[in-house]
Amino acid sequence: MHPIVKLVAQRLALGLLLLIAASALIFGLTEALPGDAAQAILGQAATPESLANLRAEMGLDRPPLTRYFEWLGGILTGDMGVALTNKLDIATSIQGRMANTLFLAFWAALISVPLAIILGLIAVRYQNRWPDKMISGITLASISLPEFMIAYILIFFFAVKLFWAPSFANISSSMSLLEQLHAIALPVAVLILVVLAHMMRMTRAAILNVMQSAYIETAELKGLSGFQVIARHAFPNAIAPIVNVVMINMAYLVVGVVVVEVVFAYPGMGQYLVDAVVKRDVPVVLACGVIFAAVYIILNIIADVVSIFTNPRLRHPK
């Protein structure tokens, strides 16, 4: 078997095992939560009979292991159950929410990834000079601030003072694309500032590491300009670590948007999860948790596969 095929198969198998382990962990954590879910839903005034009926409806009267395998089987067949609070099908509710979160993540990634790579190349080209110091200083400041603080700062200036963008990012299918982009301008800006710094600094570090190689010195002796050496020789050989950090940040754009969605009241997966936690809607929490875990694991597998294919020693084994 070719080494690349073997490594890719190993990564896929490991990803499947990680997803099963994550689902077990999520289920176990919800089971370990203090209090009674039925009591939290019905309130303190609930009668013992109503509590017993709701526990039976939720399956709380059965062993946890049995409920876990039933839930896992439903997840694998696309049946995520029914929300306890509104009796709506969870899979149907998640479709719209997930589409909104992916819409937000897409525009943030579309701007932040190319910008991070360009800024990283500029920082390497002018290493230890004022462009490098200015870019590093600004990105370090943005990565040091918590995302909710960045969000409130942008809301204060661009929504309250200047009226350039709305403070609530509420979108719907009846809105045009331009109206939707205007509505999500501030949350997209927050996400860009959060992930841009990490990707830019990793791009800079990866390229500087490659710049120490002997073939870079050979390219310089051929008379190539500094930017040509970086773009043609250093950057292609630094793809693997850059792809890894890009994929990690893409996973954050989908999984870690909870705070941003709550601040801007955005109707995405993060807001849906927070609402379910507040209402103690366990099936929704389980569904959101396993989807977030799957997204994170899948994007990390993609990063591993790209790293494997960009490794010349694996593409051309002796």
Side-chain angles (χ1 to χ4, degrees):
M1 182 182 292
H2 196 282
I4 287 184
V5 177
K6 183 178 179 180
L7 283 173
V8 170
Q10 289 176 348
R11 293 296 190 276
L12 293 175
L14 180 60
L16 181 60
L17 290 176
L18 284 175
L19 186 56
I20 294 173
S23 69
L25 179 62
I26 293 167
F27 189 89
L29 289 175
T30 57
E31 286 292 310
L33 289 174
D36 185 352
Q39 187 77 62
I41 292 171
L42 295 179
Q44 297 298 323
T47 62
E49 292 79 8
S50 61
L51 285 173
N53 291 334
L54 183 57
R55 289 192 184 102
E57 181 184 344
M58 297 172 64
L60 297 177
D61 55 342
R62 288 175 293 166
L65 195 60
T66 301
R67 288 187 283 115
Y68 167 70
F69 283 111
E70 289 179 353
W71 170 73
L72 183 61
I75 291 291
L76 294 176
T77 58
D79 180 14
M80 297 183 178
V82 177
L84 298 176
T85 52
N86 53 21
K87 304 302 180 182
L88 295 178
D89 182 66
I90 296 175
T92 304
S93 300
I94 280 179
Q95 287 178 3
R97 297 276 187 163
M98 192 65 186
N100 289 342
T101 294
L102 292 176
F103 181 73
L104 190 67
F106 170 78
W107 288 104
L110 188 66
I111 298 171
S112 61
V113 173
L115 186 58
I117 293 174
I118 291 171
L119 291 177
L121 293 173
I122 293 173
V124 172
R125 176 64 182 85
Y126 299 99
Q127 183 186 3
N128 296 326
R129 293 159 66 179
W130 71 264
D132 179 26
K133 293 179 179 178
M134 183 180 69
I135 293 171
S136 298
I138 293 174
T139 53
L140 182 61
S142 67
I143 204 173
S144 301
L145 292 174
E147 53 203 36
F148 70 87
M149 182 176 293
I150 297 175
Y152 286 128
I153 291 173
L154 294 185
I155 289 173
F156 177 76
F157 284 105
F158 295 103
V160 177
K161 292 295 184 181
L162 299 175
F163 301 103
W164 287 358
S167 57
F168 293 99
N170 192 15
I171 65 171
S172 65
S173 57
S174 61
M175 300 170 64
S176 67
L177 179 60
L178 288 178
E179 290 173 336
Q180 290 179 343
L181 292 177
H182 181 255
I184 66 170
L186 290 184
V188 165
V190 173
L191 292 174
I192 290 172
L193 290 174
V194 171
V195 301
L196 179 66
H198 192 200
M199 290 189 291
M200 190 286 298
R201 295 175 72 84
M202 187 62 200
T203 300
R204 179 183 182 276
I207 296 176
L208 285 177
N209 184 55
V210 173
M211 292 291 288
Q212 309 299 320
S213 304
Y215 61 85
I216 297 296
E217 184 177 352
T218 302
E220 291 173 342
L221 292 174
K222 289 181 179 179
L224 296 177
S225 66
F227 198 79
Q228 286 178 322
V229 171
I230 295 169
R232 294 183 184 178
H233 298 278
F235 178 69
N237 289 283
I239 285 291
I242 294 174
V243 168
N244 279 322
V245 76
V246 167
M247 286 301 171
I248 290 174
N249 281 277
M250 294 306 97
Y252 168 81
L253 288 177
V254 178
V255 178
V257 296
V258 175
V259 173
V260 175
E261 289 189 357
V262 170
V263 170
F264 290 98
Y266 185 75
M269 286 290 292
Q271 182 71 55
Y272 189 45
L273 175 60
V274 171
D275 291 342
V277 171
V278 171
K279 298 174 182 176
R280 198 63 183 274
D281 201 329
V282 176
V284 175
V285 174
L286 290 173
C288 291
V290 76
I291 288 174
F292 283 157
V295 169
Y296 193 86
I297 290 170
I298 289 171
L299 288 177
N300 276 275
I301 290 175
I302 292 174
D304 287 342
V305 171
V306 171
S307 299
I308 291 170
F309 277 100
T310 55
N311 190 332
R313 295 179 181 178
L314 295 176
R315 292 201 311 270
H316 309 289
K318 293 181 179 180

